[in-house]
PDB file of all heavy atoms in Angstrom:
ATOM      1  N   ILE A 127     -37.351  48.441  75.738  1.00 98.00           N
ATOM      2  CA  ILE A 127     -37.431  47.120  76.378  1.00 98.00           C
ATOM      3  C   ILE A 127     -37.740  46.065  75.324  1.00 98.00           C
ATOM      4  O   ILE A 127     -37.125  45.000  75.285  1.00 98.00           O
ATOM      5  CB  ILE A 127     -38.497  47.108  77.491  1.00 98.00           C
ATOM      6  CG1 ILE A 127     -38.153  48.163  78.558  1.00 98.00           C
ATOM      7  CG2 ILE A 127     -38.596  45.726  78.132  1.00 98.00           C
ATOM      8  CD1 ILE A 127     -39.226  48.321  79.627  1.00 98.00           C
ATOM      9  N   ILE A 128     -38.724  46.361  74.485  1.00 97.00           N
ATOM     10  CA  ILE A 128     -39.043  45.491  73.342  1.00 97.00           C
ATOM     11  C   ILE A 128     -39.140  46.375  72.101  1.00 97.00           C
ATOM     12  O   ILE A 128     -39.871  47.375  72.105  1.00 97.00           O
ATOM     13  CB  ILE A 128     -40.378  44.743  73.544  1.00 97.00           C
ATOM     14  CG1 ILE A 128     -40.278  43.758  74.710  1.00 97.00           C
ATOM     15  CG2 ILE A 128     -40.771  44.000  72.268  1.00 97.00           C
ATOM     16  CD1 ILE A 128     -41.570  43.044  75.031  1.00 97.00           C
ATOM     17  N   THR A 129     -38.402  46.023  71.078  1.00 97.00           N
ATOM     18  CA  THR A 129     -38.493  46.769  69.822  1.00 97.00           C
ATOM     19  C   THR A 129     -38.199  45.802  68.684  1.00 97.00           C
ATOM     20  O   THR A 129     -37.995  44.606  68.901  1.00 97.00           O
ATOM     21  CB  THR A 129     -37.551  47.993  69.829  1.00 97.00           C
ATOM     22  OG1 THR A 129     -37.843  48.807  68.681  1.00 97.00           O
ATOM     23  CG2 THR A 129     -36.092  47.602  69.847  1.00 97.00           C
ATOM     24  N   ASN A 130     -38.199  46.317  67.458  1.00 96.00           N
ATOM     25  CA  ASN A 130     -37.904  45.472  66.305  1.00 96.00           C
ATOM     26  C   ASN A 130     -37.301  46.337  65.203  1.00 96.00           C
ATOM     27  O   ASN A 130     -37.428  47.574  65.243  1.00 96.00           O
ATOM     28  CB  ASN A 130     -39.169  44.735  65.843  1.00 96.00           C
ATOM     29  CG  ASN A 130     -40.237  45.676  65.300  1.00 96.00           C
ATOM     30  OD1 ASN A 130     -40.117  46.178  64.188  1.00 96.00           O
ATOM     31  ND2 ASN A 130     -41.281  45.927  66.095  1.00 96.00           N
ATOM     32  N   PRO A 131     -36.632  45.730  64.226  1.00 96.00           N
ATOM     33  CA  PRO A 131     -35.922  46.513  63.197  1.00 96.00           C
ATOM     34  C   PRO A 131     -36.846  47.339  62.310  1.00 96.00           C
ATOM     35  O   PRO A 131     -36.374  48.238  61.603  1.00 96.00           O
ATOM     36  CB  PRO A 131     -35.215  45.433  62.357  1.00 96.00           C
ATOM     37  CG  PRO A 131     -35.202  44.204  63.198  1.00 96.00           C
ATOM     38  CD  PRO A 131     -36.407  44.279  64.063  1.00 96.00           C
ATOM     39  N   ASP A 132     -38.158  47.058  62.357  1.00 97.00           N
ATOM     40  CA  ASP A 132     -39.096  47.779  61.493  1.00 97.00           C
ATOM     41  C   ASP A 132     -39.828  48.916  62.205  1.00 97.00           C
ATOM     42  O   ASP A 132     -40.837  49.417  61.710  1.00 97.00           O
ATOM     43  CB  ASP A 132     -40.109  46.796  60.887  1.00 97.00           C
ATOM     44  CG  ASP A 132     -39.412  45.786  59.977  1.00 97.00           C
ATOM     45  OD1 ASP A 132     -38.595  46.212  59.138  1.00 97.00           O
ATOM     46  OD2 ASP A 132     -39.661  44.578  60.130  1.00 97.00           O
ATOM     47  N   VAL A 133     -39.311  49.307  63.376  1.00 97.00           N
ATOM     48  CA  VAL A 133     -39.796  50.533  64.017  1.00 97.00           C
ATOM     49  C   VAL A 133     -39.056  51.702  63.378  1.00 97.00           C
ATOM     50  O   VAL A 133     -37.822  51.721  63.343  1.00 97.00           O
ATOM     51  CB  VAL A 133     -39.537  50.515  65.538  1.00 97.00           C
ATOM     52  CG1 VAL A 133     -39.803  51.896  66.133  1.00 97.00           C
ATOM     53  CG2 VAL A 133     -40.415  49.473  66.220  1.00 97.00           C
ATOM     54  N   GLU A 134     -39.809  52.665  62.870  1.00 97.00           N
ATOM     55  CA  GLU A 134     -39.204  53.844  62.240  1.00 97.00           C
ATOM     56  C   GLU A 134     -39.414  55.059  63.136  1.00 97.00           C
ATOM     57  O   GLU A 134     -40.506  55.621  63.188  1.00 97.00           O
ATOM     58  CB  GLU A 134     -39.816  54.090  60.857  1.00 97.00           C
ATOM     59  CG  GLU A 134     -39.471  53.013  59.846  1.00 97.00           C
ATOM     60  CD  GLU A 134     -40.071  53.288  58.472  1.00 97.00           C
ATOM     61  OE1 GLU A 134     -40.718  54.337  58.295  1.00 97.00           O
ATOM     62  OE2 GLU A 134     -39.900  52.437  57.583  1.00 97.00           O
ATOM     63  N   PHE A 135     -38.372  55.431  63.863  1.00 96.00           N
ATOM     64  CA  PHE A 135     -38.394  56.622  64.706  1.00 96.00           C
ATOM     65  C   PHE A 135     -37.658  57.712  63.932  1.00 96.00           C
ATOM     66  O   PHE A 135     -36.461  57.594  63.680  1.00 96.00           O
ATOM     67  CB  PHE A 135     -37.706  56.334  66.043  1.00 96.00           C
ATOM     68  CG  PHE A 135     -37.887  57.437  67.067  1.00 96.00           C
ATOM     69  CD1 PHE A 135     -38.695  57.237  68.179  1.00 96.00           C
ATOM     70  CD2 PHE A 135     -37.255  58.659  66.933  1.00 96.00           C
ATOM     71  CE1 PHE A 135     -38.872  58.228  69.127  1.00 96.00           C
ATOM     72  CE2 PHE A 135     -37.424  59.668  67.872  1.00 96.00           C
ATOM     73  CZ  PHE A 135     -38.242  59.460  68.969  1.00 96.00           C
ATOM     74  N   ILE A 136     -38.382  58.761  63.546  1.00 95.00           N
ATOM     75  CA  ILE A 136     -37.799  59.849  62.769  1.00 95.00           C
ATOM     76  C   ILE A 136     -37.704  61.085  63.654  1.00 95.00           C
ATOM     77  O   ILE A 136     -38.716  61.547  64.203  1.00 95.00           O
ATOM     78  CB  ILE A 136     -38.640  60.172  61.513  1.00 95.00           C
ATOM     79  CG1 ILE A 136     -38.898  58.913  60.685  1.00 95.00           C
ATOM     80  CG2 ILE A 136     -37.961  61.255  60.678  1.00 95.00           C
ATOM     81  CD1 ILE A 136     -37.670  58.263  60.109  1.00 95.00           C
ATOM     82  N   LEU A 137     -36.499  61.617  63.812  1.00 94.00           N
ATOM     83  CA  LEU A 137     -36.266  62.817  64.614  1.00 94.00           C
ATOM     84  C   LEU A 137     -35.624  63.875  63.728  1.00 94.00           C
ATOM     85  O   LEU A 137     -34.533  63.667  63.200  1.00 94.00           O
ATOM     86  CB  LEU A 137     -35.353  62.478  65.801  1.00 94.00           C
ATOM     87  CG  LEU A 137     -34.951  63.645  66.714  1.00 94.00           C
ATOM     88  CD1 LEU A 137     -36.161  64.231  67.426  1.00 94.00           C
ATOM     89  CD2 LEU A 137     -33.911  63.186  67.730  1.00 94.00           C
ATOM     90  N   ASP A 138     -36.339  64.979  63.539  1.00 91.00           N
ATOM     91  CA  ASP A 138     -35.844  66.077  62.708  1.00 91.00           C
ATOM     92  C   ASP A 138     -35.393  65.582  61.325  1.00 91.00           C
ATOM     93  O   ASP A 138     -34.337  65.949  60.820  1.00 91.00           O
ATOM     94  CB  ASP A 138     -34.702  66.814  63.406  1.00 91.00           C
ATOM     95  CG  ASP A 138     -34.425  68.189  62.786  1.00 91.00           C
ATOM     96  OD1 ASP A 138     -35.375  68.798  62.268  1.00 91.00           O
ATOM     97  OD2 ASP A 138     -33.261  68.617  62.810  1.00 91.00           O
ATOM     98  N   GLY A 139     -36.207  64.693  60.752  1.00 93.00           N
ATOM     99  CA  GLY A 139     -35.962  64.235  59.387  1.00 93.00           C
ATOM    100  C   GLY A 139     -35.000  63.071  59.243  1.00 93.00           C
ATOM    101  O   GLY A 139     -34.796  62.573  58.138  1.00 93.00           O
ATOM    102  N   LYS A 140     -34.416  62.617  60.354  1.00 95.00           N
ATOM    103  CA  LYS A 140     -33.453  61.502  60.281  1.00 95.00           C
ATOM    104  C   LYS A 140     -33.924  60.330  61.140  1.00 95.00           C
ATOM    105  O   LYS A 140     -34.458  60.522  62.235  1.00 95.00           O
ATOM    106  CB  LYS A 140     -32.068  61.960  60.740  1.00 95.00           C
ATOM    107  CG  LYS A 140     -31.437  62.976  59.796  1.00 95.00           C
ATOM    108  CD  LYS A 140     -30.031  63.319  60.222  1.00 95.00           C
ATOM    109  CE  LYS A 140     -29.394  64.322  59.243  1.00 95.00           C
ATOM    110  NZ  LYS A 140     -28.049  64.718  59.661  1.00 95.00           N
ATOM    111  N   ARG A 141     -33.680  59.119  60.633  1.00 96.00           N
ATOM    112  CA  ARG A 141     -34.101  57.932  61.371  1.00 96.00           C
ATOM    113  C   ARG A 141     -33.140  57.642  62.518  1.00 96.00           C
ATOM    114  O   ARG A 141     -31.919  57.731  62.363  1.00 96.00           O
ATOM    115  CB  ARG A 141     -34.170  56.724  60.433  1.00 96.00           C
ATOM    116  CG  ARG A 141     -34.748  55.503  61.124  1.00 96.00           C
ATOM    117  CD  ARG A 141     -34.959  54.345  60.184  1.00 96.00           C
ATOM    118  NE  ARG A 141     -35.531  53.200  60.890  1.00 96.00           N
ATOM    119  CZ  ARG A 141     -35.737  52.025  60.352  1.00 96.00           C
ATOM    120  NH1 ARG A 141     -35.445  51.824  59.074  1.00 96.00           N
ATOM    121  NH2 ARG A 141     -36.237  51.030  61.061  1.00 96.00           N
ATOM    122  N   LEU A 142     -33.718  57.288  63.649  1.00 95.00           N
ATOM    123  CA  LEU A 142     -32.949  56.956  64.846  1.00 95.00           C
ATOM    124  C   LEU A 142     -33.245  55.496  65.181  1.00 95.00           C
ATOM    125  O   LEU A 142     -34.404  55.112  65.283  1.00 95.00           O
ATOM    126  CB  LEU A 142     -33.421  57.853  65.992  1.00 95.00           C
ATOM    127  CG  LEU A 142     -32.456  58.230  67.103  1.00 95.00           C
ATOM    128  CD1 LEU A 142     -31.290  59.015  66.537  1.00 95.00           C
ATOM    129  CD2 LEU A 142     -33.194  59.079  68.138  1.00 95.00           C
ATOM    130  N   VAL A 143     -32.206  54.687  65.330  1.00 97.00           N
ATOM    131  CA  VAL A 143     -32.400  53.281  65.684  1.00 97.00           C
ATOM    132  C   VAL A 143     -31.987  53.088  67.138  1.00 97.00           C
ATOM    133  O   VAL A 143     -30.814  53.211  67.491  1.00 97.00           O
ATOM    134  CB  VAL A 143     -31.582  52.349  64.765  1.00 97.00           C
ATOM    135  CG1 VAL A 143     -31.757  50.897  65.199  1.00 97.00           C
ATOM    136  CG2 VAL A 143     -32.017  52.531  63.304  1.00 97.00           C
ATOM    137  N   MET A 144     -32.974  52.819  67.988  1.00 97.00           N
ATOM    138  CA  MET A 144     -32.723  52.602  69.417  1.00 97.00           C
ATOM    139  C   MET A 144     -32.930  51.125  69.718  1.00 97.00           C
ATOM    140  O   MET A 144     -34.016  50.590  69.490  1.00 97.00           O
ATOM    141  CB  MET A 144     -33.676  53.463  70.254  1.00 97.00           C
ATOM    142  CG  MET A 144     -33.437  54.946  70.103  1.00 97.00           C
ATOM    143  SD  MET A 144     -34.518  55.936  71.188  1.00 97.00           S
ATOM    144  CE  MET A 144     -35.979  56.061  70.162  1.00 97.00           C
ATOM    145  N   ASN A 145     -31.908  50.479  70.219  1.00 98.00           N
ATOM    146  CA  ASN A 145     -31.951  49.036  70.474  1.00 98.00           C
ATOM    147  C   ASN A 145     -32.306  48.726  71.926  1.00 98.00           C
ATOM    148  O   ASN A 145     -32.127  49.562  72.816  1.00 98.00           O
ATOM    149  CB  ASN A 145     -30.595  48.402  70.122  1.00 98.00           C
ATOM    150  CG  ASN A 145     -30.268  48.555  68.649  1.00 98.00           C
ATOM    151  OD1 ASN A 145     -31.053  48.193  67.782  1.00 98.00           O
ATOM    152  ND2 ASN A 145     -29.095  49.125  68.354  1.00 98.00           N
ATOM    153  N   GLU A 146     -32.771  47.506  72.153  1.00 98.00           N
ATOM    154  CA  GLU A 146     -33.187  47.084  73.496  1.00 98.00           C
ATOM    155  C   GLU A 146     -32.042  47.230  74.499  1.00 98.00           C
ATOM    156  O   GLU A 146     -30.904  46.856  74.221  1.00 98.00           O
ATOM    157  CB  GLU A 146     -33.672  45.630  73.446  1.00 98.00           C
ATOM    158  CG  GLU A 146     -34.961  45.477  72.633  1.00 98.00           C
ATOM    159  CD  GLU A 146     -35.395  44.026  72.478  1.00 98.00           C
ATOM    160  OE1 GLU A 146     -34.687  43.120  72.985  1.00 98.00           O
ATOM    161  OE2 GLU A 146     -36.443  43.791  71.849  1.00 98.00           O
ATOM    162  N   GLY A 147     -32.355  47.811  75.647  1.00 98.00           N
ATOM    163  CA  GLY A 147     -31.386  47.956  76.726  1.00 98.00           C
ATOM    164  C   GLY A 147     -30.536  49.205  76.653  1.00 98.00           C
ATOM    165  O   GLY A 147     -29.803  49.508  77.596  1.00 98.00           O
TER     166      GLY A 147
END
Side-chain angles (χ1 to χ4, degrees):
I127 301 174
I128 294 176
T129 190
N130 66 75
D132 296 312
V133 169
E134 293 181 2
F135 190 109
I136 307 296
L137 177 65
D138 197 30
K140 293 185 179 178
R141 186 174 181 185
L142 209 62
V143 177
M144 294 184 275
N145 297 307
E146 293 175 359

